[in-house]
Amino acid sequence: MSSAKILPAVNYPVTARQVFFMVSLGATAVCCGSMNGWTAVLPRLQHNHSRFTVTDQEVAWLVSMTSLVIIVVSAVAGPLVEFLGPRLLLQLSLLLAAASWLAMAFTPLKWLLYVGRAGVSVAAAFIFSLLQPLLVEMSPPQIRGLASSLPEMFGSLGMLIAFILASFFPWHVTTTLCALPAVILFLPLLFVPESPYWLVRRNRTQDARTSLTRLRGRRDGVEEELTTLLNAPTAVQSSVKEQFVLLCKGRNLRPVLVVTSLFTLRELGGRSTILQYAVYIFQGAGVDMDPFTCTIMLGAIRVVCVCVSALVLDRVGRRPLLITSALVCGAVQGVAGVFLYLELPGASWVPLVGLLVYIGSYGLGVGTVPWVLQGELLPSPVRSVGASIVVFVNTAALFAINFVFFLVVAELGLGLTLITFGVCTLLVGGVAWRWVPETRGASLSHLETAFSTRARNKKVINDECEEKIIISQTD
């Protein structure tokens, strides 16, 4: 990595308008969270034979097919973002999600259930691919960490809402209610300006100036920021083909590989499996509580801890939260796995306590920080394509682990499965310690240099970044 100075970004005052823009964008992740949390209705769906019968194998497909769809869609998400613009594509995704939820809720045919699930997955794929970079580009520098945490925060809230609905209502009522957020959240996006980065790439300089003025809430400094955007490599690299060519350069490829590794190891650590199969896990572990209640507890703790993470992320920093969270998560998974494997006394309660601690720690770092780093570390010349690659590889791992979960548990047992998850989660901390620089307080333009040379200079960058942060906060 380079020893060049990483300068702090210009701090504009945060206004109510900016908060509205950030919340309007981040809240769209509720649809992604409800997509994942909807799987809590599957036990009820299996016991309800009024329309059709659902087997365990079909449950595995309904859980994992979302990842399979996202794998395919993420390959075209980057080009579509460049063609349509991130805000318009986000709006279209919400409309698709609403229509797909309603199709699932009212279909009398099982195959239409799969079609609706696929439609929700397509919408989620576009939201996953474009939301984080868009928030980073449009948020004020001093609250970039908080703004980047909004998707995880609202995604956790969406999952919790789905868990609660699934525990109280029939599956088709829960599915219908999942369509409401997509409809409601479409309206605020009508007032959100388009990304100035994308507008510059489309040679719409005047529109980019207008967008920056609305985003920053003032004219002072807008011309200087616009000049920086016009002189940046991203201003002339709008072609997807050119982005793939630039991706071959080490300074662009290395951050994409690092961020991809964090997401992939996180999924191999069982993050999605634990949440989406929560009811089945608690049933299999023999926990002496209603499994739906246990699942709601998981969702509630995750929401609280993600909110805490969002509030401290710009103060504590990305690396400490990510490394500490990964170590705690991995250790807890390992302990719970050992108790179940050895069938020690009290083992039925250990998975509940262990998973509650795991989800809490996960919400503090492992769940939030990788999304922040995706927006901050992916270089602007390859940001759209890089984000698509991250989502593609991440969801490939997600599909594999979700689809084979029942088979792995049948072969290894729940105890050894949790131990394996723990090892992968610990590797997240190892990757973060070795290759991830501290990014809080640094401007996006200067983060472009963070991976320009060998990783041995990472400590120099971290130290200089911390020095600039202290100066910026003092001013």
Side-chain angles (χ1 to χ4, degrees), residues 160 295-307 352 355-361 363-364:
L160 175 60
T295 302
I296 292 174
M297 292 170 62
L298 283 184
I301 288 179
R302 184 186 177 196
V303 170
V304 171
C305 291
V306 168
C307 291
L352 174 59
L355 291 184
L356 289 176
V357 176
Y358 164 82
I359 290 298
S361 180
L364 288 173

Side-chain angles (χ1 to χ4, degrees), residues 95-105 112-113 115-121 123 175 179:
L95 295 178
L96 175 61
S100 300
W101 281 122
L102 295 177
M104 292 172 63
L112 278 177
L113 184 69
V115 172
R117 183 74 169 156
V120 173
S121 304
T175 307

Side-chain angles (χ1 to χ4, degrees), residues 26 88 97 116 132 155 172 222 247 270 281 322 335 341 364 381 403 462:
L88 177 58
Q132 202 67 43
H172 61 281
V222 165
L247 189 62
I281 290 175
L322 181 57
V335 170
Y341 179 72
L364 288 173
F403 187 70
N462 290 335

Side-chain angles (χ1 to χ4, degrees), residues 269-271 273-275 277-279 281-282 285 287 294 297-299 301-302 329 332-333 336-337 340 349-362 414 418 421:
R271 184 273 314 182
T273 302
I274 289 173
L275 290 169
Y277 284 105
V279 175
I281 290 175
F282 289 127
V287 175
C294 295
M297 292 170 62
L298 283 184
I301 288 179
R302 184 186 177 196
C329 286
V332 168
Q333 287 175 302
L340 286 175
W349 283 99
V350 169
L352 174 59
V353 176
L355 291 184
L356 289 176
V357 176
Y358 164 82
I359 290 298
S361 180
Y362 168 86
L414 187 56
L418 288 177
F421 285 166

Side-chain angles (χ1 to χ4, degrees), residues 51-318:
R51 296 190 193 179
F52 33 70
T53 301
V54 178
T55 66
D56 285 346
Q57 185 64 27
E58 289 170 329
V59 166
W61 272 110
L62 285 170
V63 172
S64 57
M65 70 173 292
T66 58
S67 305
L68 192 61
V69 172
I70 292 174
I71 290 172
V72 177
V73 175
S74 62
V76 299
L80 272 179
V81 169
E82 291 300 318
F83 179 72
L84 296 175
R87 188 191 63 175
L88 177 58
L89 186 55
L90 196 58
Q91 291 172 312
L92 295 176
S93 299
L94 292 178
L95 295 178
L96 175 61
S100 300
W101 281 122
L102 295 177
M104 292 172 63
F106 294 103
T107 177
L109 304 172
K110 186 189 298 185
W111 66 269
L112 278 177
L113 184 69
Y114 284 88
V115 172
R117 183 74 169 156
V120 173
S121 304
V122 170
F126 289 133
I127 295 173
F128 278 136
S129 298
L130 65 89
L131 184 55
Q132 202 67 43
L134 181 61
L135 275 169
V136 168
E137 290 177 353
M138 298 176 69
S139 61
Q142 64 269 40
I143 61 168
R144 194 172 63 217
L146 174 60
S148 300
S149 302
L150 290 176
E152 183 70 15
M153 187 187 307
F154 281 104
S156 303
L157 181 60
M159 178 174 282
L160 175 60
I161 292 172
F163 285 163
I164 294 173
L165 293 175
S167 66
F168 289 104
F169 296 105
W171 74 269
H172 61 281
V173 175
T174 297
T175 307
T176 302
L177 294 175
C178 284
L180 287 179
V183 175
I184 295 172
L185 294 172
F186 175 84
L187 300 177
L189 291 183
L190 297 174
F191 304 96
V192 176
E194 185 56 90
S195 166
Y197 285 75
W198 179 78
L199 292 170
V200 165
R201 291 197 296 270
R202 307 305 294 180
N203 295 319
R204 295 167 55 180
T205 305
Q206 182 56 45
D207 290 337
R209 180 181 290 106
T210 302
S211 176
L212 279 172
T213 302
R214 292 184 63 196
L215 287 171
R216 303 312 179 210
R218 55 188 294 177
R219 295 183 180 275
D220 297 345
V222 165
E223 289 300 324
E224 180 181 352
E225 187 172 358
L226 180 61
T227 300
T228 300
L229 294 183
L230 291 171
N231 293 330
T234 185
V236 295
Q237 301 296 342
S238 59
S239 166
V240 174
K241 179 180 178 180
E242 290 174 327
Q243 290 194 39
F244 275 108
V245 172
L246 286 173
L247 189 62
C248 296
K249 296 184 177 181
R251 68 174 181 270
N252 295 326
L253 181 61
R254 279 189 286 268
V256 173
L257 291 177
V258 169
V259 175
T260 302
S261 299
L262 293 175
F263 276 95
T264 304
L265 289 171
R266 187 182 74 164
E267 298 305 339
L268 294 178
R271 184 273 314 182
S272 177
T273 302
I274 289 173
L275 290 169
Q276 297 197 62
Y277 284 105
V279 175
Y280 293 97
I281 290 175
F282 289 127
Q283 289 175 341
V287 175
D288 297 329
M289 279 185 66
D290 175 55
F292 286 98
T293 302
C294 295
T295 302
I296 292 174
M297 292 170 62
L298 283 184
I301 288 179
R302 184 186 177 196
V303 170
V304 171
C305 291
V306 168
C307 291
V308 172
S309 174
L311 293 175
V312 304
L313 195 57
D314 286 311
R315 294 182 177 273
V316 177
R318 285 55 157 158

